[in-house]
Structures are given as C-alpha cells and as structure tokens.
Amino acid sequence: MLKLNKSTVDFASISEQHGDAARPRRVRSYRGTVSMTRTFKAIKWLLFAIFLSAPLGAQAQTVKAASCSSSDVQSAINSASAGQTVDVPAGSCSWPGNSVNLKKAITLQGAGAGVTNITLTADPSFVVAKQASGVTRITGFTFSNSNNTTFPDAINVQGTWPGGQPVIFQNNSFVMNNSRMLGLTVAGGVIISHNTFTGGWNDFAITVKDLTNTNSWTTADSMGTHDSSGLLNVYVEDNTFKGQSNGAFDCDDNCRMVVRHNTFSESGGFNSHGEDSSPYGMRHFEIYGNSFLFPDKTCTAGNSSLSNINFYIWIRGATGVIFDNNFDHLSSTCWGTKTEIKLSNRGAEDDRPQGTCSATHYPTPHQLGQNHNGSNDFTDPIWFWSNNGATISVSGGWAWGNPCGFDWNTYFQWGRDGSNSSLNLSLLSLSVNGVSVSGLGGSPKPGYTSYAYPHPLVQGSTSSNAPAAPSNLSAIIQ
C-alpha cells in the first residue's frame, strides 16, 4: 500500500513478511520537501524492488521435470541447487538400474502417491545420499518393485555416520512383489514417516546394513534423548505396513533404529541380526507406540500365507527398549499359536564369532543385552514395559540346533540381559527351545526418555528446505 502527500515523503517503515511472521523494521527516516518527479522515481523504485523481486525469488525455488522418466528427473535434479524443489509431474514411468541419483539437499516431489507412479526395475534403481548442506526429501510418489531381492535393494540410501543431514521419505506409497524396497547402507540419519508399505509374505520394506561406518559400534548409544540432535538414528514413524509377514525390517550391521507409532497388519514387523552371520550386528533398537494387528484369526481367507506370521519382533543381539505397543495374540485356527517376541543368540550356536565351542563364553560379542559406552562393551538389558494385549509371549532360546549343548540360562538371564522389573515374570506353556515369559506389565527403564515425537524435521514439513521468499511486502510513503 502506498500513501502520498504531494510535498512530503516519509520513508518511515518497511515491513517484511516471511511466512506467517510479520516483522516491522526501522530504516533511515527523514522528512523534506521533494519534487513530484523525485517522488514518482521513488515510487517506481519501490514497485520494482518490492513487488517484482519477491515473486521471482519464490519461482526460482522450483525446478520442473519434463516428465517422470528417469532421464527427465535426473536432468531436473542436475539443474537444481541446494534448498530447491524438483517437481515431478503425474504419470507412470520405469526407472532402470542406477538411473536416478539424488545427491543434493533438495526436495524431490511427485504429484502424489498413486498419481506419480514409478516402477523400479533393478537393485538399485534410485540412489540417494545424505548431504552436509541440508535435508534431502522424497515425497508424493508410489514406488513399486517386483522380483528384485538383492541388497542394497531398489532404493539405496548412502552417507556418512555420524554427520550430515537426514534423508526423509514422507507421504509415499511403496509396493513390493517378491522384492525388497529401501536398502540403507548408513547406520542412521534417515527418517521414514507417513508412508504406506504393501508386500507379500517374504518382502522386506527396510534393510539397514552399514559395513562402512563401523564406528557405530564403538560410539556411545543414541537411544532416546541421547540422540540430542535427532540425526543419529533411523526413525520409522507413523507408517502403515500391510503384509511383509516374515519381517518388514531387517536391522543389521551397525543399525540404530527407532520404530514408533506405526501400524502393522499381517506383518512380521521387526527382524534383526547379531554378530554371528553378520560381522557387527545391529547396534540398538527402540520399538514403542506401535500396533501389531492379526486380523485373520479364524482363517476366513483360508490358509493365506500373509497370516503365517512367526513373530512380530525377533531380536538376535544388542540392547534396546520395547514398550507401549499393542499386540494381537498370534493364535489362529490355521497356523496355531506362536510367540509375539522372540530372543535368540546365534553367536553361541552354529555361527560363533569367538570360535570353537570351548572358546565360546558369556557374553558373546554384541549379544542380547550388550551396549557400548564409547570405550568398552557393557551389559545393558533389553527393557520391556507397558505393552498391551491379551497375551504377550516373550520366548528366549536356541534356534539353530545348539550344537555345543550350552545351557540357555548361561547366555541369557532375566534381570541381567533382559528386564521387566515390576513383575515376577510368569512362565507360559508356549516355549521355543527355551523358556517363555509374559511380556505384560513392567516399569520404564531408569534414565530413559524417548526422543521428541513427531520428529521435528517432518512435523508440518511438505517440501522446501529453505525459508520461503519474502511475500506481502508493503511500504508507506506520507
């Protein structure tokens, strides 16, 4: 808005608005008699600087891909700068092997899940790398993959740990058919939020296996608020998983994972590795606030393979917390009754990092209930509390034949390697080569506080990493 007195100009205030916050800013102020010529020159300058430059700045934040083809998307990524958004239009396209590489801190934005549809035809087809300069976001796509099961999977996320800003997948749909989807070759610094994953019995949504940043196991844990920046873990929150009955996750070497506030339906949920068949095994885990659903208890769909869930959570090493989850009991007329949570130690069975049976002793490297403080490994029990369900069975025992003939209680003891402190844990009749206890009840792990939820980098975020260009600028001239 411009106000003009014929003989007097008062350059008194210019306000600048970023988003919702208007901030008056005093600038040099003077009064004096000026000619109408000088007055209109001032007006012309203000019109040009204020009303033209801001919209042009806003437009420069977006680069539009000509189509959803891999070549057009890669061309748009190549021309974008950090902080910008690459818009990918509606359509259905196939991306072949290593055809799209996103190694900039930009937002790659489709027209919406089910609108921009990408078929990935190789492992990998789409490579994303963490950046130091800012967050990288992928949003608004449906990605599908069929008959590809080789790590690093159809979408490969790379990067250094610790360090760098996260890669964020938000508001996407992932569809798997005899395949896997997200392969993370970095221990942490990835956020997966508000997505839908749909797959068959042996399809895996997310695999973490980092053989490069091996300092994850020699660096103190980042559980809960120990991750003060929110940049050190893989955060999987507010997603829906349908199928993937043999396991939606495979948390492997150096993996630091937080699984929270997700819904799993006919999904095997969380699988992990220890230092046995893998050289390091997962680092630690936090599993809380999730719903594990088992809808086909009476086999109304027949002997559907999706209802053949062997467990919701399988832990083979390291430490973590499991709390505030809701579990449907794994009991059906077609598949029988199974344990909800399974604990194993393959490092004392057929794949022993310590060597022969005679050389194997407690604790086996990176086994259940082991943590690291930055200098040494130490015993830090897996903690269970406030989980809900009619029955929650936690079964610990041998799973690979126990060729050394060890006593399970030598390698895992409640109160030492696992804790549910407020209960006198009751034994259940169900057992898997060991002993089963109830997972109900318990009290919180002392000193543990979960990290802020929702993750601050996805709450209310839709696209750009950079502040919006100034808008609604005004000047008052009197």
Side-chain angles (χ1 to χ4, degrees), residues 8-37:
T8 305
V9 178
D10 180 11
F11 294 91
S13 66
I14 296 177
S15 67
E16 176 182 279
Q17 181 171 324
H18 288 270
D20 296 328
R23 183 179 62 220
R25 181 177 295 173
R26 290 298 286 187
V27 296
R28 184 180 60 177
S29 179
Y30 63 89
R31 286 182 178 269
T33 301
V34 295
S35 69
M36 290 298 295
T37 300

Side-chain angles (χ1 to χ4, degrees), residues 171-175 194-198 239-242:
N171 300 323
N172 302 288
S173 177
F174 300 93
V175 181
H194 291 89
N195 305 283
T196 298
F197 294 84
T198 305
N239 303 282
T240 299
F241 296 85
K242 301 176 182 179

Side-chain angles (χ1 to χ4, degrees), residues 13 141 155 157 207 282 290 321 363 377 408 424 465 478:
S13 66
F141 291 88
I155 301 176
V157 181
T207 299
M282 72 172 169
N290 304 287
V321 293
D377 286 354
W408 171 255
N424 181 9
N465 304 313
Q478 295 178 334

Side-chain angles (χ1 to χ4, degrees), residues 67-70 88-95 116-120 142 144:
S67 77
C68 64
S69 73
S70 58
V88 181
S92 296
C93 298
S94 293
W95 292 0
T116 302
N117 303 306
I118 306 299
T119 299
L120 307 168
T142 289
S144 61

